[in-house]
Amino acid sequence: MVAVSEASYSLEGVGSAGRSAHSGECPVARADDHAGAGRPLVLKGAGLRSTMFRRVLQLGLGPGLLTRGLSTRRGVSTLDWDAKVSEFKKKIECILPGKPWETQLYDTSHLPPEQSDVVIIGGGIFGLSVAFWLKKLEKKQDAIRVLVVDQDHTYSQASSAGLSVGGIWQQFSMPENVRLSLFSVEFLRNINEYLAVVDAPPVDLRFNPSGCLLLASEKDAAALENNVKIQRQEGAKVCLMSPEQLQNKFPWVNTEGVALASYGMENEGWFDAWSLLQGLRRKVRSMGVLFCQGEVTRFITSSSCVEGPNGEEMVLKRIHKLHVKMDKSLEYQPVECAIVINAAGAWSGHIAKLAGIGKGPPGTLQGTKLPVEPRKRYVYLWHCPQGPGLETPLVADTSGVYFRREGLGSNYLGGCSPTEEEEPDPANLEVDHDFFQNKVWPHLAQRVPAFQTLKVQSAWAGYYDYNTFDQNGVVGPHPLVVNMYFATGFSGHGLQHALGVGRAVAEVVLEGEFKTINMSPFLFTRFYLEDKLQEYNIL
Amino acid sequence: MLKIILPSIMLLPLTWFTNNKTLWTNTTCHSLMISLISLSLLHQDSTNSYNFSTTFFSDPLSTPLVILTTWLLPLMLLASQNHLSKEQENYKKMYISLLTLLQVFLIMTFTATELMLFYILFEATLIPTLIIITRWGNQTERLNAGLYFLFYTLIGSIPLLISLINFNNTFGTLNLVLLSLKQPALSQSWSNHILWLAFMLAFLVKMPLYGVHLWLPKAHVEAPIAGSMVLAAVLLKLGGYGMMRISILLDMVNKTMAYPFIMLSLWGMVMTSSICMRQTDLKSLIAYSSVSHMALVIVAVMIQTPWSFMGATALMIAHGLTSSLLFCLANSNYERTHSRTMMLAQGLQTILPLMGVWWMLGSLANLALPPSINLIGELLIITSSFSWSNLSILMMGMNMIMTAAYTFYMLISSQRGKLTNHTKFLPPTHTRESTIMSLHIIPIILISINPKLILGLP
């Protein structure tokens, strides 16, 4: 159709920019002729002939120009040769040797590889620990391809990174937990031998071995004593203190309501979780593990029916591929994998649901879900110049409130686990300051009178990968989804167990059984068998 | 000869016009029938060669290779059924057509009378193989692999073209039957040395010789199963076959020029066997083992005694069947665990015992256990190279030990050991897979009873 503008003699039609190089003499309005050649300009309205005449005059009448100006363009106008030729020339230039040709093809460097032997979902401390031990325990160099997928490479919501309190203690009631913590301490003490990377600075963990003090009231005293016996059997150095001994050692404590206290004398304290994470990341990268930022959205599985030991039908699933979706886009990459490790922390339950774990009638093995869900916990940082001072251990009160010293400037940080009824909504990481005022401060002030005059400096919130069943971790393979392994659910004390758990999972993947620390009580099947592993004190 | 070539060509319309449901059945059965026809070549009534026409002939050297090629096509089709099951019908048919086309070219290559026809078809076999590797391979590295494969072989064969044309001009004919009647006598001049190199380079790259072998691990690992099978079993033998044919033309010069390449092959044999022991990828291990066996064939062809030629042909056929079998076994692992890493699939003997039998037989064949044809080939080559030079027995002996070592390493790490959780519930062996393995083993056993068939002399 025709669009003739009187006032502006601008070029119309496709690719007029290219053509202006030829017809540089004067701009002319032409008919955009799709149908073919030879149709004259169809103008509407009166004064048409005068417009045409004016235009002809302005063309500066050469004979060729006249015919070109007034007649319509043949079909060439829609093809835009000039732009195509220049694009083609650019492509040829890029393909010639010596020029980078990746710019012509779509850049896929942000996508994960199409195939990987092991895919670790979650790049926090558990994921990195499993990757590290897989690479360390493989018998030949570069035998296994490992890919770590994390949805946020800045770790802004990761529980084991900057948000973590970073404590480590051996005072557990399960002997495996004690062993895991002891192994972690040995790892942390020799961290620069484990995580050495050529030309990189050593890892500075800022490990404060100030110990951990657990206070028990009358009703918990017997359990505490029992636990200490188990811990001592495993080799932890813990001592029991009566209220008088407690008052002598830590004069700032108010021993009212305390029947017994257990104090770890060695290998307990806190460290900088962020530097551990960064050190691990650097080392794991140097060992050849690939990283990718993305979200796992789908598993492609195949199932087969087998007959169980009692003759019942079981449906076994095997994961063949998983889809990794890129951040803020719909693009995804299918990754073919042999083994999947679920180390997604607070989001492990969601990943397990994607893999079909828990789809079935409740009460059966198929219907047993992975009971890990995110729970929000607050950590508050306050300043108290009259506070306990440099000798403060990590103190866990009878009421569930805990605190520790932070730095050398009379700062302390701590928090409390809320009861089931007061669980905050885990949808976001907003801090509730009233929680401190109402639930934490009274107990703090009661236990340490100096804390009556504290001043809160800042607070943050983080997720626990909370195991709603028994608040202890899930480690090892799933009985029905045969190539998914778990390393998650440690509900707040994951950071200190991660290194040992990583080694345990690597042993199961590579050799088929737990070799150093036997983590079989932590297998998934305990959820089906209703076998709880209760921990006495959950911080 | 047309009785084999025409039915093979007619497999192409068969794949395109057949019913989708019976695609695999039809193509496999018809290619099996063609392989049965090819057995008729074994009946040689003339002492020199079985001349079909002026274009095609077959003699005891090329007959076993033709039979191997035609035997392999139904096996390739059986092996590819699983990984192609999710493709569109048109792509499946395209894949089968490429395999068929490759088979046609290969049959014609092995039976060509004119060396020029041989050369054209030699080059033509590259194209379907390249398409199979780059389009249907599994990893992103397949593009790199295809590139290496194509350019290594092409660069080797351009000098071959030039020297063939030159030879035709100076001597008058390139017909192998005629050439066997009158051998050209080449003098020991520099240009004849370069002529020798130009002739042989293509085949040395194809074999592959140790220095120019880089394309082989890449191509074998990245190719899909049918690609790996045909590459290992037949395409490598093109090099050996070509060398044996061309050496008629290069009689005098061979005595001096062969020396460095025999050295390189002896050394390469030991080197690639040692690399095998360090491999973590199963297919890569089998690929390097192929290089090692072919180095033996190169040594044998260069030495040029009757015993070494017999050993070379026997080893080519034996290795073709064994290597193809090992690749099928590795593929059966890969289809179950989706990973080629050996560490992740261990202890399989407990859950897949029948597959364990095939693994055992294949590994025993690979390490040249008596009385298999692998042993006959290797034995003849070792003895003839010992007579060529006493010192070569050191390298040969070391190679035999290391072959046994890496073969057992492969067998034990995949079959014995503790089952890991993700391998406990692998799907059981399909009948189709057992069929492929047995169809590889049965010829090895049958030919071991009558090895005269493959010894390459009338």
Side-chain angles (χ1 to χ4, degrees):
Chain A
M1 284 310 289
V2 176
V4 177
S5 61
E6 283 219 13
S8 60
Y9 295 99
S10 53
L11 284 167
E12 294 178 86
V14 179
S16 50
R19 210 165 302 114
S20 54
H22 292 296
S23 53
E25 300 85 23
C26 55
V28 123
R30 294 196 185 90
D32 211 355
D33 186 43
H34 293 284
R39 224 201 296 155
L41 278 174
V42 174
L43 302 170
K44 296 196 190 103
L48 246 35
R49 217 172 290 164
S50 60
T51 334
M52 248 173 87
F53 193 59
R54 229 186 316 169
R55 203 165 296 132
V56 165
L57 284 181
Q58 278 180 337
L59 275 179
L61 299 164
L65 272 177
L66 182 64
T67 47
R68 211 173 50 162
L70 291 181
S71 72
T72 58
R73 218 53 188 171
R74 304 287 151 87
V76 190
S77 65
T78 53
L79 279 183
D80 181 22
W81 278 120
D82 296 321
K84 284 200 174 167
V85 166
S86 53
E87 207 185 286
F88 190 62
K89 271 194 199 161
K90 253 189 275 183
K91 267 206 185 125
I92 298 270
E93 254 179 47
C94 278
I95 295 178
L96 286 178
K99 300 267 169 54
W101 61 299
E102 285 87 12
T103 50
Q104 279 298 313
L105 304 174
Y106 175 55
D107 177 25
T108 54
S109 53
H110 57 283
L111 290 176
E114 286 175 3
Q115 193 266 351
S116 177
D117 292 329
V118 179
V119 177
I120 301 180
I121 306 178
I125 191 78
F126 276 103
L128 292 180
S129 173
V130 175
F132 172 76
W133 284 105
L134 272 176
K135 278 294 185 183
K136 201 151 148 71
L137 292 179
E138 67 184 4
K139 297 194 186 71
K140 289 202 162 60
Q141 205 187 20
D142 278 341
I144 310 191
R145 284 201 233 190
V146 183
L147 170 72
V148 174
V149 179
D150 195 274
Q151 57 185 5
D152 182 8
H153 63 237
T154 60
Y155 293 102
S156 55
Q157 291 191 333
S159 338
S160 54
L163 304 171
S164 164
V165 167
I168 176 166
W169 60 93
Q170 279 91 48
Q171 300 182 40
F172 296 101
S173 42
M174 298 259 343
E176 285 86 8
N177 276 339
V178 181
R179 262 179 250 160
L180 283 174
S181 279
L182 283 173
F183 174 72
S184 290
V185 168
E186 184 259 321
F187 189 96
L188 295 176
R189 282 199 194 278
N190 297 318
I191 192 161
N192 282 310
E193 283 162 25
Y194 282 103
L195 300 188
V197 176
V198 176
D199 280 347
V203 179
D204 177 22
L205 276 185
R206 291 190 282 271
F207 183 28
N208 280 293
S210 298
C212 177
L213 180 69
L214 288 183
L215 306 173
S217 56
E218 281 284 341
K219 60 179 176 65
D220 300 325
L224 187 68
E225 201 173 333
N226 218 10
N227 288 350
V228 170
K229 202 157 43 167
I230 298 176
Q231 290 149 24
R232 282 217 186 107
Q233 265 174 354
E234 294 297 329
K237 301 203 175 34
V238 188
C239 73
L240 282 169
M241 293 200 282
S242 65
E244 296 76 39
Q245 290 169 320
L246 188 60
Q247 189 75 75
N248 272 342
K249 189 153 173 74
F250 300 115
W252 39 264
V253 170
N254 170 15
T255 55
E256 180 190 333
V258 174
L260 197 58
S262 70
Y263 179 56
M265 295 178 293
E266 201 183 315
N267 294 336
E268 295 191 352
W270 57 89
F271 61 94
D272 183 13
W274 180 247
S275 45
L276 173 64
L277 202 73
Q278 288 307 311
L280 259 179
R281 212 176 137 104
R282 205 173 57 199
K283 174 70 176 172
V284 151
R285 245 209 182 106
S286 81
M287 284 165 135
V289 171
L290 298 167
F291 281 82
C292 162
Q293 179 184 352
E295 188 193 332
V296 174
T297 46
R298 204 173 154 198
F299 289 101
I300 314 257
T301 58
S302 71
S303 7
S304 58
C305 276
V306 289
E307 205 175 284
N310 303 332
E312 81 271 13
E313 278 257 319
M314 293 206 291
V315 177
L316 293 178
K317 266 192 179 176
R318 168 172 283 273
I319 300 175
H320 290 292
K321 278 192 195 186
L322 47 84
H323 285 187
V324 179
K325 183 178 98 70
M326 295 297 117
D327 206 23
K328 296 192 189 60
S329 99
L330 285 176
E331 183 184 19
Y332 70 90
Q333 165 81 297
V335 179
E336 193 182 353
C337 55
I339 294 173
V340 174
I341 299 192
N342 186 351
W347 298 273
S348 319
H350 167 69
I351 296 285
K353 205 159 34 163
L354 277 181
I357 295 174
K359 280 206 191 101
T364 60
L365 186 54
Q366 270 170 315
T368 320
K369 299 196 204 331
L370 178 70
V372 175
E373 56 181 48
R375 291 275 174 97
K376 188 159 76 164
R377 295 286 178 267
Y378 306 111
V379 177
Y380 303 92
L381 175 72
W382 63 86
H383 176 73
C384 183
Q386 295 91 18
L390 292 178
E391 267 217 14
T392 325
L394 178 72
V395 181
D397 187 35
T398 50
S399 53
V401 167
Y402 66 91
F403 69 92
R404 69 161 172 87
R405 173 176 61 81
E406 166 70 17
L408 303 168
S410 304
N411 290 325
Y412 303 87
L413 60 83
C416 170
S417 285
T419 55
E420 284 289 332
E421 300 82 42
E422 326 168 312
E423 276 293 342
D425 178 23
N428 55 29
L429 284 181
E430 308 232 325
V431 181
D432 181 10
H433 295 277
D434 293 329
F435 183 75
F436 184 75
Q437 286 289 111
N438 303 335
K439 297 284 183 320
V440 184
W441 200 8
H443 297 290
L444 274 181
Q446 201 246 338
R447 188 56 61 203
V448 182
F451 277 160
Q452 276 163 356
T453 53
L454 60 78
K455 197 157 179 290
V456 175
Q457 302 253 324
S458 75
W460 60 87
Y463 291 118
Y464 272 15
D465 45 346
Y466 193 79
N467 182 347
T468 52
F469 186 71
D470 56 7
Q471 291 87 48
N472 249 322
V474 191
V475 174
H478 187 273
L480 293 180
V481 179
V482 295
N483 55 353
M484 177 175 263
Y485 293 83
F486 296 106
T488 177
F490 276 84
S491 317
H493 42 93
L495 179 62
Q496 53 186 299
H497 291 322
L499 297 161
V501 167
R503 187 174 57 167
V505 173
E507 284 165 0
V508 175
V509 168
L510 293 177
E511 283 152 57
E513 55 183 3
F514 295 111
K515 287 233 148 78
T516 41
I517 301 179
N518 185 10
M519 304 280 293
S520 31
F522 290 80
L523 287 172
F524 183 90
T525 39
R526 75 179 194 268
F527 301 136
Y528 172 60
L529 300 170
E530 308 268 341
D531 209 0
K532 287 200 183 192
L533 304 169
Q534 278 294 9
E535 268 299 325
Y536 157 63
N537 204 351
I538 308 104
L539 284 184
Chain B
M1 211 53 231
L2 274 182
K3 63 177 178 280
I4 306 177
I5 296 177
L6 269 183
S8 298
I9 295 179
M10 292 313 282
L11 276 178
L12 288 167
L14 173 69
T15 54
W16 286 98
F17 290 133
T18 184
N19 203 352
N20 281 346
K21 283 207 255 297
T22 52
L23 173 65
W24 293 108
T25 327
N26 273 342
T27 44
T28 316
C29 288
H30 283 90
S31 44
L32 256 177
M33 286 194 265
I34 296 175
S35 71
L36 289 176
I37 303 175
S38 70
L39 285 175
S40 68
L41 290 174
L42 283 170
H43 175 66
Q44 304 256 334
D45 45 3
S46 148
T47 45
N48 276 340
S49 51
Y50 193 174
N51 286 324
F52 297 95
S53 67
T54 49
T55 341
F56 296 118
F57 86 121
S58 84
D59 71 355
L61 170 57
S62 57
T63 306
L65 288 166
V66 171
I67 300 177
L68 180 64
T69 314
T70 51
W71 183 243
L72 218 63
L73 184 61
L75 269 56
M76 286 197 278
L77 292 172
L78 277 173
S80 315
Q81 277 185 19
N82 193 352
H83 79 90
L84 286 182
S85 58
K86 297 209 177 50
E87 298 246 3
Q88 298 172 23
E89 290 301 322
N90 275 348
Y91 287 149
K92 280 191 217 176
K93 292 182 179 173
M94 180 53 107
Y95 192 79
I96 300 177
S97 326
L98 282 169
L99 288 178
T100 314
L101 202 59
L102 186 58
Q103 155 141 324
V104 170
F105 288 151
L106 281 168
I107 297 173
M108 298 213 291
T109 318
F110 284 126
T111 53
T113 332
E114 287 274 347
L115 281 175
M116 199 39 107
L117 179 66
F118 168 79
Y119 174 77
I120 295 171
L121 293 163
F122 178 81
E123 293 300 299
T125 56
L126 291 180
I127 296 176
T129 322
L130 180 69
I131 300 177
I132 291 176
I133 294 177
T134 47
R135 165 64 177 89
W136 276 278
N138 281 319
Q139 261 81 10
T140 42
E141 288 87 9
R142 66 186 186 268
L143 300 172
N144 200 8
L147 220 65
Y148 265 65
F149 167 68
L150 183 69
F151 283 107
Y152 263 73
T153 352
L154 269 182
I155 290 176
S157 30
I158 298 293
L160 177 62
L161 176 65
I162 300 173
S163 24
L164 279 175
I165 297 177
N166 173 41
F167 196 82
N168 200 2
N169 282 347
T170 50
F171 201 64
T173 177
L174 277 178
N175 194 322
L176 279 169
V177 181
L178 290 179
L179 285 173
S180 61
L181 295 174
K182 173 167 171 49
Q183 276 94 359
L186 290 177
S187 56
Q188 295 272 11
S189 62
W190 271 110
S191 57
N192 279 344
H193 285 184
I194 297 182
L195 188 72
W196 186 97
L197 199 59
F199 269 119
M200 288 297 200
L201 192 61
F203 304 117
L204 289 173
V205 171
K206 198 81 178 173
M207 283 294 314
L209 179 67
Y210 175 60
V212 290
H213 70 291
L214 273 184
W215 64 270
L216 187 132
K218 285 197 204 300
H220 272 108
V221 167
E222 303 303 331
I225 180 59
S228 286
M229 284 167 80
V230 76
L231 263 174
V234 188
L235 287 175
L236 298 188
K237 300 0 178 215
L238 272 179
Y241 174 77
M243 280 210 287
M244 291 211 246
R245 293 287 187 217
I246 296 276
S247 42
I248 305 172
L249 313 174
L250 304 167
D251 210 4
M252 281 291 115
V253 188
N254 224 333
K255 293 201 177 21
T256 44
M257 281 302 287
Y259 195 57
F261 296 100
I262 300 179
M263 288 297 109
L264 203 51
S265 290
L266 283 172
W267 182 237
M269 193 171 69
V270 175
M271 275 287 105
T272 41
S273 295
S274 350
I275 292 178
C276 274
M277 299 218 263
R278 274 197 48 92
Q279 287 300 319
T280 53
D281 180 341
L282 191 53
K283 268 179 113 166
S284 195
L285 197 152
I286 303 172
Y288 275 107
S289 123
S290 281
V291 179
S292 176
H293 287 278
M294 286 296 109
L296 272 172
V297 174
I298 296 180
V299 171
V301 173
M302 295 284 182
I303 295 179
Q304 289 191 325
T305 65
W307 264 26
S308 75
F309 272 4
M310 283 159 68
T313 41
L315 189 57
M316 284 205 286
I317 303 296
H319 173 259
L321 286 168
T322 318
S323 196
S324 173
L325 169 65
L326 287 174
F327 273 117
C328 285
L329 289 168
N331 186 52
S332 77
N333 256 2
Y334 176 75
E335 281 175 3
R336 287 178 170 73
T337 52
H338 283 272
S339 155
R340 293 193 311 257
T341 313
M342 280 163 59
M343 292 186 69
L344 294 180
Q346 53 184 23
L348 296 179
Q349 195 169 350
T350 328
I351 40 172
L352 303 174
L354 185 56
M355 200 51 92
V357 172
W358 306 127
W359 270 102
M360 175 65 85
L361 288 174
S363 303
L364 290 179
N366 198 23
L367 54 89
L369 190 78
S372 69
I373 38 178
N374 294 268
L375 176 77
I376 292 171
E378 287 196 17
L379 204 57
L380 288 169
I381 297 176
I382 292 178
T383 42
S384 51
S385 79
F386 180 66
S387 82
W388 177 78
S389 154
N390 289 9
L391 284 177
S392 64
I393 197 85
L394 291 172
M395 300 294 229
M396 296 280 186
M398 213 171 358
N399 181 48
M400 288 223 77
I401 297 174
M402 296 219 274
T403 306
Y406 70 70
T407 313
F408 276 134
Y409 166 61
M410 177 177 68
L411 180 68
I412 288 177
S413 69
S414 66
Q415 302 302 112
R416 313 282 161 83
K418 185 164 169 67
L419 278 175
T420 50
N421 196 69
H422 53 273
T423 46
K424 275 194 193 132
F425 301 106
L426 291 178
T429 312
H430 299 282
T431 312
R432 172 184 58 89
E433 293 171 342
S434 286
T435 316
I436 305 172
M437 311 309 170
S438 52
L439 284 180
H440 276 107
I441 296 272
I442 289 175
I444 297 180
I445 296 177
L446 287 177
I447 303 178
S448 305
I449 302 175
N450 185 8
K452 203 165 69 238
L453 294 169
I454 55 165
L455 281 181
L457 285 183

